[in-house]
Amino acid sequence: MSSDLRRYHITTFGCQMNKADSERMAGVLENMGFQWSDTPDDANLILYNTCTIRDNAEQKVYSYLGRQAKRKHAEPDLTLVVAGCVAQQEGDALLRRVPEVDLVMGPQHANRLQDLLDQVATGQQIVATEPIHIVEDITKPRRDSTVTAWVNVIYGCNERCTYCVVPNVRGVEQSRTPEAIRNEMVQLGEQGFKEVTLLGQNIDAYGRDLPGATSEGRHQNTLTDLLYFVHDVPGIERIRFATSHPRYFTERLIRACYELPKVCEHFHIPFQSGDNDVLKAMSRGYTQEKYRRIIDKIRNLMPDASISADAIVGFPGETEAQFENTLKLVEEIEFDQLNTAAYSPRPGTPAALWENQLSEEVKADRLQRLNHLVGLKAGMRSQRYANRIEEVLVEDQNPKDPTQVMGRTQGNRLTFFPGKIEELRGQIVSVKVTEVRSFSLTGEPLSALATTAS
């Protein structure tokens, strides 16, 4: 690779955890002297940070790799890196399929990127997928935003949901210390960031692997304790967290979200299925009745709280009646947003080997019916914003309308309104909602309304 022209491009697939990992790896590359390239074809180091939750995402990675592999035959100095969950899942097999790849590295090795690339520079082809203890990350991520930031608080997952490949590719749970998390947030506040999202594949499990217990017998460090510990970080005005697991979601956590003004009243709690037998087959560890009780407790304290979730249709053996239980749950809870997917068999998961797989036609039909209901209910739920005044944290310009800026309400509703991004970025603006859609809002800033009235 030419030392005088070192450009990199990262393509990220999948979840917020992958996005956070990509920011950290970009930070490593820039510390090494690389510069960001907007397009992969102008880069001489290309990194694909991959997701294996769905088969279509995995196949897209191989499609992208194929193009760059051909390019490498003409440009041998091109460095190809595959990181993330597909890398962890495939390991050496990925090199056999695409031998042009220089480095295959699992999510736990993101902090070791520089060391691994140094080995690649000596002519080695590297596969780094062995389990390791994640040391505290001292790299500074290249943040994709100057307003909002991801902060990892726990890596890995100890759950064994029968459809999910995450424990196989992200390893066991490893919590960062509260002090390390707070220190990162303090630095973000000093740099002008206004909002932090605390991330974990199963964030409610935070602290289970850390030492110490209270006199009541619970873990000394929990997500609830962490929220209290970081709430007063100067400069940070909003705190979010994701992703929650109903098995571990506690009343104490709900109370903390109610008491702490910086914690946004937005909860992302996947339910996956509205049928108890399907949940049992998934090894989720809760019932739909328990899930409903969690939502009821949230709304009893915070009636306006925004609730989002994930759901899977077409799980092996799911009957029409069981699917209708999912529809019933969505009908009655009225989610603000619901991420839906048809079941996709993943390598190394128990459910992928079961013989009672449903046809793609059945899965597609159920997904379409669920999405139709989700849109209807989200539209109804969104009506509560009509003519209300919402506090919007401005993040960027509306890419479809340069006269508007966009940001999110405390409830995570995307909102557009007139303004100049160079004046408003990072500001919390009071906006009167004038137009309501299922998943976004449009409004007018109160300052503009006051000027018009005068």
Side-chain angles (χ1 to χ4, degrees):
M1 181 179 300
S2 173
S3 59
D4 60 342
L5 187 64
R6 292 155 61 91
R7 292 180 179 156
Y8 75 97
H9 182 85
I10 296 178
T11 300
T12 305
F13 303 86
C15 67
Q16 296 168 327
M17 294 289 289
N18 271 17
K19 294 175 183 175
D21 288 345
S22 290
E23 289 183 349
R24 289 159 55 216
M25 290 188 287
V28 171
L29 291 170
E30 296 197 354
N31 286 340
M32 293 175 65
F34 285 87
Q35 296 180 348
W36 168 257
S37 171
D38 289 331
T39 61
D41 291 342
D42 290 335
N44 43 19
L45 186 149
I46 297 173
L47 189 154
Y48 295 111
N49 192 11
T50 60
C51 172
T52 187
I53 295 297
R54 305 276 173 247
D55 183 63
N56 59 349
E58 185 175 332
Q59 295 311 312
K60 187 179 290 186
V61 172
Y62 282 112
S63 175
Y64 285 25
L65 269 176
R67 177 181 177 185
Q68 296 303 329
K70 291 179 181 177
R71 178 184 160 203
K72 184 162 183 171
H73 290 288
E75 303 176 37
D77 285 343
L78 174 65
T79 301
L80 293 180
V81 180
V82 181
C85 297
V86 170
Q88 183 70 32
Q89 172 186 287
E90 298 295 302
D92 292 320
L94 197 151
L95 292 185
R96 291 194 292 270
R97 183 167 174 177
V98 189
E100 292 83 0
V101 171
D102 297 283
L103 170 60
V104 177
M105 52 181 286
Q108 299 179 72
H109 294 265
N111 297 354
R112 298 185 57 224
L113 179 58
Q114 181 168 354
D115 292 338
L116 296 172
L117 287 175
D118 287 344
Q119 295 178 57
V120 168
T122 67
Q124 300 182 60
Q125 198 174 34
I126 304 296
V127 176
T129 55
E130 69 278 6
I132 62 171
H133 177 72
I134 299 174
V135 297
E136 181 54 38
D137 184 8
I138 60 173
T139 62
K140 291 186 177 180
R142 176 192 183 273
R143 306 286 183 179
D144 287 337
S145 168
T146 59
V147 179
T148 65
W150 318 108
V151 173
N152 288 102
V153 303
I154 180 172
Y155 301 97
C157 181
N158 289 359
E159 301 304 305
R160 287 291 170 181
C161 302
T162 56
Y163 58 84
C164 185
V165 74
V166 166
N168 299 340
V169 296
R170 284 196 170 267
V172 298
E173 293 169 357
Q174 297 184 51
S175 300
R176 297 175 66 194
T177 66
E179 292 76 17
I181 295 165
R182 182 181 172 90
N183 287 343
E184 183 174 351
M185 290 180 63
V186 167
Q187 292 177 13
L188 290 169
E190 291 172 346
Q191 294 165 16
F193 287 86
K194 295 297 194 300
E195 177 181 297
V196 162
T197 300
L198 306 177
L199 286 182
Q201 210 73 46
N202 175 12
I203 198 165
D204 303 289
Y206 174 77
R208 291 196 300 189
D209 58 317
L210 296 177
T214 68
S215 57
E216 295 88 2
R218 60 174 175 79
H219 292 285
Q220 183 172 320
N221 293 290
T222 67
L223 176 60
T224 303
D225 297 300
L226 179 65
L227 290 176
Y228 282 109
F229 184 65
V230 303
H231 185 264
D232 64 345
V233 169
I236 301 301
E237 299 186 35
R238 288 182 175 178
I239 299 173
R240 303 183 190 274
F241 59 90
T243 295
S244 293
H245 194 302
R247 179 185 286 184
Y248 307 105
F249 207 92
T250 65
E251 289 189 47
R252 186 167 172 262
L253 176 59
I254 296 171
R255 174 64 61 175
C257 296
Y258 172 70
E259 293 177 350
L260 297 172
K262 288 186 181 180
V263 177
C264 294
E265 295 182 357
H266 168 230
F267 301 86
H268 185 72
I269 316 174
F271 65 87
Q272 305 301 7
S273 173
D275 183 83
N276 287 343
D277 289 336
V278 175
L279 288 172
K280 185 176 181 180
M282 289 177 167
S283 295
R284 289 291 287 171
Y286 57 87
T287 62
Q288 60 91 8
E289 290 86 359
K290 179 177 179 179
Y291 186 88
R292 289 171 184 270
R293 287 195 294 270
I294 291 171
I295 304 304
D296 287 343
K297 289 172 183 176
I298 291 173
R299 286 180 169 165
N300 283 341
L301 275 182
M302 296 164 277
D304 199 41
S306 176
I307 310 291
S308 61
D310 301 340
I312 297 171
V313 302
F315 188 74
E318 180 190 64
T319 66
E320 175 64 22
Q322 289 170 332
F323 168 66
E324 288 176 0
N325 284 336
T326 293
L327 294 180
K328 182 179 179 183
L329 187 144
V330 173
E331 175 84 31
E332 294 176 355
I333 288 183
E334 295 188 349
F335 292 92
D336 289 81
Q337 187 165 350
L338 183 63
N339 302 322
T340 63
Y343 169 73
S344 176
R346 307 310 302 130
T349 60
L353 303 177
W354 296 349
E355 295 181 355
N356 54 349
Q357 305 291 327
L358 303 188
S359 70
E360 294 304 314
E361 290 78 13
V362 168
K363 289 191 282 189
D365 173 68
R366 291 180 183 175
L367 185 61
Q368 182 181 25
R369 289 154 62 194
L370 177 59
N371 285 339
H372 177 70
L373 179 61
V374 168
L376 289 177
K377 288 297 175 181
M380 294 171 61
R381 182 77 177 149
S382 198
Q383 289 303 315
R384 72 189 191 277
Y385 291 111
N387 298 314
R388 270 188 10 188
I389 295 172
E390 289 290 320
E391 301 299 306
V392 178
L393 174 60
V394 179
E395 299 178 28
D396 216 332
Q397 187 177 60
N398 181 353
K400 297 181 179 180
D401 185 346
T403 68
Q404 291 184 332
V405 295
M406 64 182 187
R408 293 186 181 272
T409 67
Q410 192 193 59
N412 207 40
R413 189 56 57 100
L414 186 63
T415 305
F416 306 93
F417 65 91
K420 297 180 179 179
I421 190 60
E422 59 271 18
E423 297 175 357
L424 296 176
R425 191 190 305 272
Q427 302 298 312
I428 294 180
V429 180
S430 297
V431 176
K432 183 173 183 180
V433 177
T434 57
E435 186 178 348
V436 173
R437 293 172 295 277
S438 294
F439 303 108
S440 65
L441 309 170
T442 298
E444 289 285 341
L446 289 192
S447 56
L449 293 173
T451 301
T452 302
S454 62

